[in-house]
Amino acid sequence: MVNATTLLGVVLLARHGDRLEFFQDPFTYNPVQTFLTPLGSVQEQQLGIFLRETYLDPTSPTFIQGISADIANVNQLDVRADAGGGGSVILLSVQGLLQGLYPPTTDNNITLANGTAIVAPLGGYQAIPVESVEPNLDISLNSFTSCPNFDNHISEFYASPPFIAEAADAEPFLQQLQPYLGNRSIDFTNMFNIFDFVNVQSVHNATFLAELPSTFAAQAYYYANFHENGVFTDASPDGIGNIGIRTILPSIFTDLTRIANSSDPLKIMLNEISYKPFISLFNVTQATNADPSIAGIVDYASVVALELHAPATPSDEPTVNMRFKNGTTDPSFHDLTLFGETSLPLSQFISQLAPIAVNTTQEWCTVCNQTSLRGCSVFN
């Protein structure tokens, strides 16, 4: 269902595109470097095209009021990308998305004083500034690494009865899968890395794809979803398991408030991130209560849209609703609930989530019990 009122703007959370194998330490989630593939760039461009059709097409019911649709107005856009673990995958992904959102156009030109008309390179390529969010300077988009209390949360989850029971259930499958994994550990704590290997090989290794039993990829995904949902959620909204979204919330509040301000030009805020904050977001907003299928690892090039709609009457305030598209194979947005509601007044959305937000690096250091890394030493 599309809100019939005027759309003022949108805050987007987008996952990067397809990449090569990505190992994460199961007990700290410290990663090794990986690389974006051409497929990943295409997925991101396709996502950008979808977002363009949704928000920049004047005939769309969710066209953003007052936005420059063909030539990017950088004052209306704010783009941030996680430059943390995994190398440049997320930073490069956002470039593909932006090429789809604002494709090259010969209208991107300038006429010089001598009368010469100059079109930007590549047929009018539109260069949109992107803030590279470096983890040692800004904890907001990658707050789950170097966080001792989060590491403790992971270990506690691995020792919990639900985890132990699921590990026992998965063991026969993992024994069957082991011959296809090389020398990779089949301990259930390693389930994300097992799934990631199977997923990457199924996409990029024809021999592996032909030899792998037909149900194994889906089974690995099922168990990885259980694993990651347990790691990146918590029973309490302010629990450390939700840290991945708790540090992003302050910027979401700020950006929605800016969009609501008619004197502020901001229309689209884009955060390019990993899959982890999606899991925490769906948990803290209780979206998974209404749709349990969204709990787990979102696909490459997935996107969440927090839309801000104009008030229905002058005495009301703008409302926020949440929509989700799970990767490029998902053809459309799906409406999600926010605390059981289809939409919330902006002030209520903020007041519901503000108590769990981690607003500064100093707060993060305290919440994580980090005393030396990522800038925390200055607070001791």
Side-chain angles (χ1 to χ4, degrees):
M1 182 183 71
V2 175
N3 192 322
T5 59
T6 301
L7 185 61
L8 302 177
V10 63
V11 174
L12 300 170
L13 303 174
R15 189 187 176 194
H16 59 79
D18 177 79
R19 47 151 177 75
L20 300 182
E21 185 179 0
F22 180 51
F23 176 82
Q24 301 179 108
D25 185 312
F27 291 89
T28 64
Y29 277 71
N30 289 331
V32 299
Q33 188 175 27
T34 186
F35 299 93
L36 186 71
T37 68
L39 171 62
S41 293
V42 169
Q43 290 171 333
E44 290 292 311
Q45 185 186 34
Q46 290 172 341
L47 174 57
I49 292 170
F50 170 82
L51 294 171
R52 177 173 178 79
E53 293 170 347
T54 303
Y55 295 119
L56 303 185
D57 182 348
T59 66
S60 168
T62 50
F63 176 69
I64 296 175
Q65 179 188 46
I67 196 165
S68 178
D70 295 317
I71 300 294
N73 178 348
V74 296
N75 294 316
Q76 296 182 332
L77 309 171
D78 196 353
V79 184
R80 306 170 77 225
D82 176 13
S88 59
V89 167
I90 298 177
L91 273 171
L92 293 178
S93 287
V94 78
Q95 298 296 338
L97 190 157
L98 292 172
Q99 288 177 46
L101 186 65
Y102 280 99
T105 172
T106 54
D107 291 337
N108 187 19
N109 63 64
I110 190 171
T111 301
L112 305 183
N114 63 6
T116 303
I118 303 295
V119 175
L122 304 175
Y125 175 82
Q126 303 196 60
I128 298 172
V130 175
E131 178 189 352
S132 173
V133 180
E134 305 293 331
N136 288 327
L137 301 176
D138 184 337
I139 50 85
S140 61
L141 299 188
N142 193 322
S143 55
F144 39 84
T145 56
S146 304
C147 179
N149 283 345
F150 183 72
D151 297 346
N152 292 338
H153 160 78
I154 296 172
S155 296
E156 290 169 2
F157 173 57
Y158 291 166
S160 69
F163 184 90
I164 293 169
E166 196 75 8
D169 183 76
E171 185 174 6
F173 163 67
L174 292 175
Q175 291 289 346
Q176 292 179 297
L177 183 62
Q178 187 171 30
Y180 302 93
L181 300 177
N183 61 355
R184 288 164 182 80
S185 168
I186 60 167
D187 190 287
F188 196 57
T189 59
N190 199 44
M191 193 64 232
F192 172 82
N193 294 315
I194 294 169
F195 156 72
D196 192 70
F197 175 77
V198 170
N199 186 54
V200 170
Q201 294 300 311
S202 295
V203 173
H204 297 286
N205 185 332
T207 302
F208 181 92
L209 179 62
E211 294 178 350
L212 188 73
S214 60
T215 65
F216 278 21
Q219 287 175 273
Y221 184 46
Y222 169 84
Y223 287 118
N225 280 338
F226 170 86
H227 188 285
E228 297 305 280
N229 195 61
V231 169
F232 290 99
T233 63
D234 213 300
S236 173
D238 64 355
I240 197 68
N242 293 316
I243 193 66
I245 194 63
R246 291 174 60 196
T247 52
I248 301 177
L249 288 175
S251 66
I252 292 176
F253 302 156
T254 298
D255 297 327
L256 288 173
T257 301
R258 287 185 59 193
I259 292 169
N261 182 356
S262 60
S263 64
D264 193 308
L266 184 65
K267 299 293 183 183
I268 295 177
M269 174 64 197
L270 170 60
N271 295 283
E272 192 85 8
I273 55 176
S274 70
Y275 67 89
K276 297 135 180 135
F278 287 88
I279 300 174
S280 302
L281 174 65
F282 295 155
N283 183 51
V284 301
T285 58
Q286 301 173 18
T288 48
N289 292 355
D291 187 357
S293 69
I294 63 175
I297 305 167
V298 301
D299 289 347
Y300 295 133
S302 289
V303 63
V304 161
L306 292 165
E307 298 177 343
L308 188 70
H309 291 262
T313 69
S315 62
D316 296 327
E317 64 172 300
T319 58
V320 181
N321 66 284
M322 183 162 66
R323 306 171 80 193
F324 173 54
K325 181 178 182 296
N326 193 15
T328 51
T329 59
D330 190 352
S332 61
F333 267 132
H334 308 278
D335 296 314
L336 301 181
T337 58
L338 292 166
F339 305 101
E341 304 292 335
T342 56
S343 65
L344 291 175
L346 176 58
S347 62
Q348 185 179 344
F349 173 81
I350 294 174
S351 66
Q352 286 274 94
L353 291 168
I356 71 169
V358 176
N359 298 284
T360 65
T361 297
Q362 186 171 9
E363 285 185 30
W364 178 85
C365 298
T366 300
V367 166
C368 284
N369 193 30
Q370 176 58 262
T371 59
S372 58
L373 303 178
R374 301 184 70 174
C376 293
S377 59
V378 300
F379 303 118
N380 296 309

